[in-house]
């Protein structure tokens, strides 16, 4: 299987931003529940979350799909178009703020912002800095004690230990520590 074929099957997360007319928030929130139910019936949908990070007219929809093709089918579907027609005059999608991620970018996200993901080489280097010490620890402390285990079980120990530690502890910490390097201010 080629790398291109694998990428086509990668899960994708997309953030859509909506501008709601003042005083129409209750109508929009009712609409969000309906369109979310509609999207949940589409093949490949893995959930939709709605965020309103500040008191104001903007809402954000975080869509999770099994792959980019199924997301595209939803975004281009008649059902979605019909739902959009229902809120004409209530809210509009802010198209230039649409973002999609398919990989490690979510380890480098900044909550409450629309910052672009850092360049992949910076993500790679930061991930290496986070993973290397724990790889060393696992090799030193765990590997010698599991030498007699069957290979599939030994191989499972590494990701079972490393991935949660990276995802929930190390990468959020490194993202904050290296924030200015990963996300330089616009004037740089």
């Amino acid at each position: 299987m080629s790398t291109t074929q694998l990428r086509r099957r990668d899960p994708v997360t997309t953030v859509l931003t909506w501008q709601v007319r003042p005083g129409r928030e209750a109508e929009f929130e009712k609409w969000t529940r309906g369109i979310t139910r509609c999207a949940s019936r589409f093949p490949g949908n893995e959930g939709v979350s709605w965020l309103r990070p500040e008191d104001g007219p903007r809402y954000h929809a975080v869509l999770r799909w099994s792959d980019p093709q199924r997301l595209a089918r939803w975004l281009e579907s008649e059902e979605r178009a019909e739902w959009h027609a229902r809120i004409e005059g209530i809210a509009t999608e802010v198209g230039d703020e649409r973002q999609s991620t398919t990989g490690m970018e979510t380890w480098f996200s900044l909550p409450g912002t629309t910052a672009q993901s850092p360049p992949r080489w910076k993500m790679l280097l930061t991930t290496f800095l986070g993973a290397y010490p724990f790889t060393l620890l696992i090799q030193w402390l765990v590997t010698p004690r599991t030498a007699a285990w069957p290979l599939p079980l030994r191989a499972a120990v590494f990701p079972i230990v490393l991935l949660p530690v990276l995802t929930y502890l190390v990468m959020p910490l490194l993202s904050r520590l290296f924030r200015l390097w990963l996300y330089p201010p616009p004037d740089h």
Side-chain angles (χ1 to χ4, degrees), residues 7 10-15 68 99-111 113-124 126-127 167 171-172 175 182-183:
R7 275 195 206 119
D10 286 344
V12 62
T13 300
T14 296
V15 178
Q99 301 175 36
S100 292
T101 63
T102 58
M104 290 187 337
E105 295 94 341
T106 54
W107 272 352
F108 296 90
S109 64
L110 295 173
T113 71
T114 56
Q116 293 294 324
S117 298
R120 288 187 183 266
W121 70 269
K122 286 185 178 184
M123 290 190 292
L124 176 84
T126 306
T127 304
T167 300
M171 296 314 294
S175 291
L182 291 166
Y183 308 95

Side-chain angles (χ1 to χ4, degrees), residues 54-81:
E54 68 278 336
D55 269 345
R58 288 190 185 242
Y59 287 73
H60 305 282
V62 181
L63 292 75
R64 292 173 305 282
W65 291 81
S66 61
D67 58 77
Q69 292 74 27
R70 288 181 174 177
L71 170 63
R73 276 188 226 124
W74 161 248
L75 292 174
E76 297 163 4
S77 71
E78 286 183 33
E79 292 91 333
R80 183 173 185 266

Side-chain angles (χ1 to χ4, degrees), residues 138-167:
I138 291 169
Q139 294 296 320
W140 178 49
L141 297 173
V142 179
T143 303
R145 290 168 177 76
T146 61
W149 294 8
L151 179 60
L153 191 55
R154 280 193 326 247
V157 170
F158 187 79
I160 287 171
V161 172
L162 185 64
L163 295 178
V165 168
L166 282 177
T167 300

